[in-house]
Amino acid sequence: MSWKMLDNLKIYIKHFIFVFVIFSLALPATITISGLFSDTVYAQKKKERRKPPKAKRTQTMSKKVGAEFIKAQEALGEDLPDRAFDILSNLLRRDDLRPFEQAQIIRLQAYVFAEKEDYDKALDYLERVFSLNALQPQDQLDLQFQIAQLYLATDKWNEGHDQLLKWFKNAEEMGFPPGPSAHALLAQIYLYFASETERDSPEEKQYYRKAEPHAEKAVLSAAEPRENWYQIYLSILLFDDRYEESVPILEAMVYRFPDKKNYYRQLAALYAELKREDDSFHIQQIMFSKDMLEKHDELLRISQLYLFYEVPYKAALILEKELESGRIKDEEKNWEQLANAWLSAREWKRAIPPLKKAAEMSEDGELFLRLGQTFMQEEDWKEAEEYIKYAIKKGDLDNPGRAWLLLGITRNKKGIKYENSALFAFKRSTGYEDMEADARRWVKVIESKQARREADRLAAEAAEAELADDSIYFN
């Protein structure tokens, strides 16, 4: 897990806790926050409590206290926290308050402080409420969870951790197994502790081990796990390089959050690491279809993959479009790759413009030579000759002897008129050891053709002279 990711995680935890605490403090004490407890178990308990025991009475406020309490809530709704606090303080001065009423009033005062972002004060007030032990057991349990969260929100991680463990114990004893939200929070705490230890230390590994079962339960037991729960569980698996186990988690993340580019990128990288290159390529194809590939390196990579998988036409289309748009850099090697893609797709004519651009950017004659060869494929011998000549003139060729050989071939293809210049090129090619044999064969072919034509010419002249001598007998 990267340090940047850990920093983001800390920020997320605090933001989530602030929002959650303010929201939950604003609720009546009889409402239970979903996700804290196992949904199945809690639903069953709610069903069982529809008919409370006759010995217990529902806790309610007296009419006068309730009326003032509602005024305080309305003041908060009108964004008048100080007025709300004054109403609540006046209520607390009454001598006839029952413990339940006192607890509800102080709890709402805690909400006022939370709204003002005075979390230390809010925490003090909540602990006062908890110490009264005047709420229903379920409400006391919810309150304990809020206190644990506020400890975390005020950077008191050890106290928050201890309080949350007590909450886990109490919830289990009351028959309310903690749900995915609670397990996710505990996992986040352990990852925070891991981030505070020395990297690669036994302590760091120990905290990751503690976090794992809670992260796993958060993800696997929730009907729709939150995004950061997946992130936590994935970071734990990747911490130990458990790539095989990470794949299903990332696949689920890609399915659940289809617009998050980073998950596709991570999944493609994991597939590649596991030698599942075809799957990796498929993911990158999806990313391209979703316009997720925007950077030079990303677009160049997908085009190279299409070339690797022998789909050069698609590679060429990508390169052509993105070079023109500027998202792929205007560089010699990129224009050359576009030309190569068109050549691989046997689109000779479409390869010529990018090859010209690449050649013009090049410091040697090599690409001009390739340009000449491309014109040879099109049987445009005039253009082929011009570019091969320019390649030779520019120089610094990998194989100059081959360039002379190709120049000889193009001239030879232009017809008898150019045979002597072709012969000159082939003879120059014989001066290079690696081309000597091929060049000499061409020299032999042309000289043989010329010798035959000369012999034919002389034979024709002799025949014509003989015919002229014989004509005296017929005059």
Side-chain angles (χ1 to χ4, degrees), residues 368-369 371-376 379-393 403-404 406-415 418 421-422 425:
F368 283 103
L369 181 61
L371 194 53
Q373 290 176 271
T374 305
F375 279 111
M376 288 176 72
E379 297 186 0
D380 186 341
W381 308 115
K382 181 180 178 182
E383 288 293 321
E385 180 187 12
E386 288 303 312
Y387 280 105
I388 294 171
K389 280 165 59 180
Y390 192 79
I392 293 170
K393 182 180 178 181
W404 282 108
L406 292 173
L407 181 60
I409 293 172
T410 58
R411 286 173 171 175
N412 186 54
K413 288 287 187 178
K414 288 172 71 177
Y418 299 92
S421 62

Side-chain angles (χ1 to χ4, degrees), residues 64-84:
K64 289 183 179 180
V65 173
E68 290 299 304
F69 190 82
I70 290 171
K71 286 181 183 178
Q73 288 180 316
E74 288 173 347
L76 280 171
E78 294 169 5
D79 199 21
L80 299 169
D82 293 333
R83 174 170 170 72

Side-chain angles (χ1 to χ4, degrees), residues 12-252:
Y12 176 87
I13 292 171
K14 294 189 74 172
H15 174 74
F16 172 76
I17 289 170
F18 291 157
V19 173
F20 187 93
V21 170
I22 291 173
F23 171 74
S24 59
L25 285 174
L27 296 174
T30 52
I31 295 178
T32 303
I33 309 300
S34 65
L36 299 186
F37 306 103
S38 172
D39 292 339
T40 305
V41 173
Y42 184 61
Q44 181 63 28
K45 290 291 179 183
K46 282 178 69 178
K47 189 175 181 181
E48 291 172 1
R49 292 202 306 276
R50 282 179 183 172
K51 295 181 180 179
K54 292 181 180 178
K56 290 185 178 179
R57 296 180 61 191
T58 304
Q59 291 176 303
T60 57
M61 292 182 177
S62 68
K63 190 173 181 179
K64 289 183 179 180
V65 173
E68 290 299 304
F69 190 82
I70 290 171
K71 286 181 183 178
Q73 288 180 316
E74 288 173 347
L76 280 171
E78 294 169 5
D79 199 21
L80 299 169
D82 293 333
R83 174 170 170 72
F85 193 83
D86 289 341
I87 294 170
L88 295 169
S89 296
N90 288 332
L91 273 175
L92 285 174
R93 294 189 184 98
R94 294 177 65 106
D95 296 329
D96 57 347
L97 286 179
R98 287 173 291 167
F100 168 74
E101 292 171 329
Q102 188 179 4
Q104 289 286 54
I105 292 166
I106 298 172
R107 183 174 182 272
L108 194 56
Q109 284 182 318
Y111 172 76
V112 173
F113 286 117
E115 275 282 273
K116 292 181 174 183
E117 298 185 7
D118 189 345
Y119 298 109
D120 288 317
K121 209 67 162 171
L123 181 58
D124 290 340
Y125 274 66
L126 282 186
E127 287 184 319
R128 283 175 59 190
V129 177
F130 189 71
S131 66
L132 290 171
N133 197 25
L135 303 176
Q136 293 284 358
Q138 175 66 61
D139 299 328
Q140 282 288 119
L141 197 60
D142 292 346
L143 186 60
Q144 187 177 25
F145 190 84
Q146 293 165 12
I147 290 170
Q149 288 181 306
L150 271 177
Y151 273 125
L152 299 173
T154 53
D155 286 326
K156 297 171 183 175
W157 292 87
N158 289 319
E159 293 90 336
H161 167 258
D162 294 343
Q163 192 67 251
L164 190 59
L165 287 184
K166 290 176 185 176
W167 178 87
F168 263 77
K169 182 175 179 292
N170 292 338
E172 292 282 2
E173 289 175 353
M174 291 177 62
F176 300 121
S181 293
H183 282 285
L185 183 59
L186 189 52
Q188 290 175 62
I189 292 171
Y190 285 130
L191 288 190
Y192 169 79
F193 287 153
S195 72
E196 295 296 298
T197 61
E198 187 179 346
R199 292 189 67 179
D200 300 322
S201 65
E203 291 81 9
E204 182 188 41
K205 293 177 183 177
Q206 183 183 20
Y207 283 124
Y208 271 92
R209 295 290 72 75
K210 286 183 176 182
E212 182 174 350
H214 297 288
E216 182 179 20
K217 185 161 282 190
V219 169
L220 300 184
S221 65
E224 291 188 355
R226 293 176 187 161
E227 185 176 359
N228 79 302
W229 299 356
Y230 280 113
Q231 292 172 343
I232 292 165
Y233 189 30
L234 179 65
S235 70
I236 292 168
L237 296 175
L238 293 178
F239 177 78
D240 288 329
D241 297 336
R242 290 152 64 184
Y243 301 137
E244 289 282 2
E245 295 173 69
S246 301
V247 165
I249 303 302
L250 266 173
E251 288 173 339

Side-chain angles (χ1 to χ4, degrees), residues 52 182 213 343 359 437:
L343 290 171

